Amino acid sequence: MTDPSPPAAEPAHVIRDAAEAVETAARLAAEFRVGASARDAGRELPYAQVERLSASGLLGVTVPAEHGGADVPVRTLAEVVRLLATGDPSLAQIPQSHFVYINVLRRQGTPEQQKFFFGEVLAGKRFGNAQSEAGTRHVQDIRTRLTRDGDGPYVLDGLKHYSTGALFAQWIPVLARVEDDSLHVAYVPRDAEGVTVVDDWNGMGQRTTASGTVRLEGVRVPADRVVPHHLTFQGPQLHGAVAQLLHAAIDAGLASAALAEAAEFVRTKSRPWFESGLESAVEDPLLVQHFGELGLRLRAADALLAAAGDAVDAATADLTDDTAAEASIAVAAAKVQAANTAVDVSGALFELAGTRAADDSLNLHRFWRDARTHTLHDPVRWKLQHLGRYVLTGARPPRHGLL
């Protein structure tokens, strides 16, 4: 299904500090939790909820203070995303790339580009993404091209997949290569001629992220809408650490939501196993033990997430090869713990809650489907490789943007 018309953005509130950002995220999470299961079951795309997210001002919290934003710490941003994921993990995924491409502008945008785009963000405009491509050799084999004839505009051609957020966006940042193969980001209006966003996402989980296809056919892009992203990786950088931290925050929030749902089900619906001789399931010491173990793992995931946020903030204040490496490793640890916890808790939900939890009409499997789908981003086995090398030899992780 193709949606030819870009959505409009409501006028946005401007959040002033970290405390307001966290309070707003908690309030919206409670609001988004209502109806999240029904949206997933019917694959009802959350247009109204995305508009509420924009209007709340949360999408502008990383805009620098000199441009009118709250410029919240990365630890706060991770907590905002974690809270949103406790309400609706799919909805929390939608703005992940939005924050990533604000960071690209912070790092490589010209003063004029920053003034324009940060103004757009504070006004409630949303960035989607068009970065991944299917059928290439690997995830960094980008074949979308930006070509330029003299001093005129660039022309953009390519085919993108897994374009989370593009369907809801006013601007689509597109990852592309220029003549010398260096990596650039083109910020393209959602309604630009030659841009087609196709709602063909068919994943078993994260059903309402609309992570479909973007076709780019002869799209003309002014030079002042193109950013040299390759320069980000020529020195110490936190681009990948921030992006991965937000993925970890989604997993941690999802795990928290799944554990809360399991506990509620056991309190209100589960029957005790007859051999226990107990009157209620919540008295079963075997269940209590299992909940305790999962609660401990969730606390570890939350603690590692917070520690990783602190490490990124510390590196931001004093960016060197060593501080960037420590931040990336801290984020890798948080990502591994959060991803594994999300999958394990959402699967254990059924063992804890019992046979009735498998009733398809309850849609409790949405947590596992979301966790299993989302954790396919950037495999944790490679995070462990970099962690192991860092512990054994002190080897810094590579600067490829996925750590």
Side-chain angles (χ1 to χ4, degrees), residues 388-396:
R389 293 185 185 117
Y390 191 72
V391 170
L392 277 171
T393 67
R396 298 186 188 114

Side-chain angles (χ1 to χ4, degrees), residues 174-369:
V174 180
L175 211 54
R177 296 194 184 277
V178 298
E179 282 188 7
D180 66 359
D181 260 1
S182 61
L183 205 57
H184 287 60
V185 176
Y187 289 76
V188 178
R190 163 74 172 76
D191 58 353
E193 185 176 352
V195 175
T196 305
V197 180
V198 185
D199 178 21
D200 58 356
W201 170 240
N202 194 34
M204 69 173 182
Q206 295 199 297
R207 290 175 171 175
T208 59
T209 60
S211 300
T213 298
V214 174
R215 288 198 293 267
L216 305 148
E217 300 169 301
V219 181
R220 296 175 71 81
V221 185
D224 64 358
R225 297 292 182 262
V226 177
V227 175
H229 189 35
H230 65 103
L231 298 179
T232 300
F233 306 104
Q234 293 184 2
Q237 53 81 36
L238 299 169
H239 174 80
V242 173
Q244 292 295 301
L245 187 68
L246 299 186
H247 282 307
I250 293 166
D251 291 336
L254 190 158
S256 178
L259 192 60
E261 190 82 18
E264 175 65 14
F265 197 97
V266 170
R267 284 193 299 266
T268 60
K269 296 183 178 66
S270 294
R271 298 181 297 178
W273 183 242
F274 74 97
E275 289 180 285
S276 71
L278 299 169
E279 292 298 317
S280 69
V282 295
E283 298 175 274
D284 185 340
L286 299 180
L287 276 180
V288 171
Q289 175 80 10
H290 205 162
F291 270 102
E293 291 169 350
L294 293 174
L296 180 61
R297 292 185 61 182
L298 181 58
R299 285 174 179 266
D302 289 346
L304 285 171
L305 185 73
D310 286 340
V312 174
D313 286 327
T316 301
D318 178 24
L319 188 59
T320 66
D321 283 329
D322 287 337
T323 61
E326 177 57 33
S328 290
I329 290 299
V331 170
K335 178 72 160 58
V336 171
Q337 182 69 21
N340 289 341
T341 301
V343 172
D344 291 347
V345 169
S346 59
L349 185 158
F350 299 97
E351 180 185 353
L352 294 167
T355 306
R356 294 175 67 190
D359 188 325
D360 192 53
S361 68
L362 298 174
N363 199 26
L364 293 178
H365 48 69
R366 71 186 187 278
F367 295 108
W368 183 86
R369 288 187 289 100

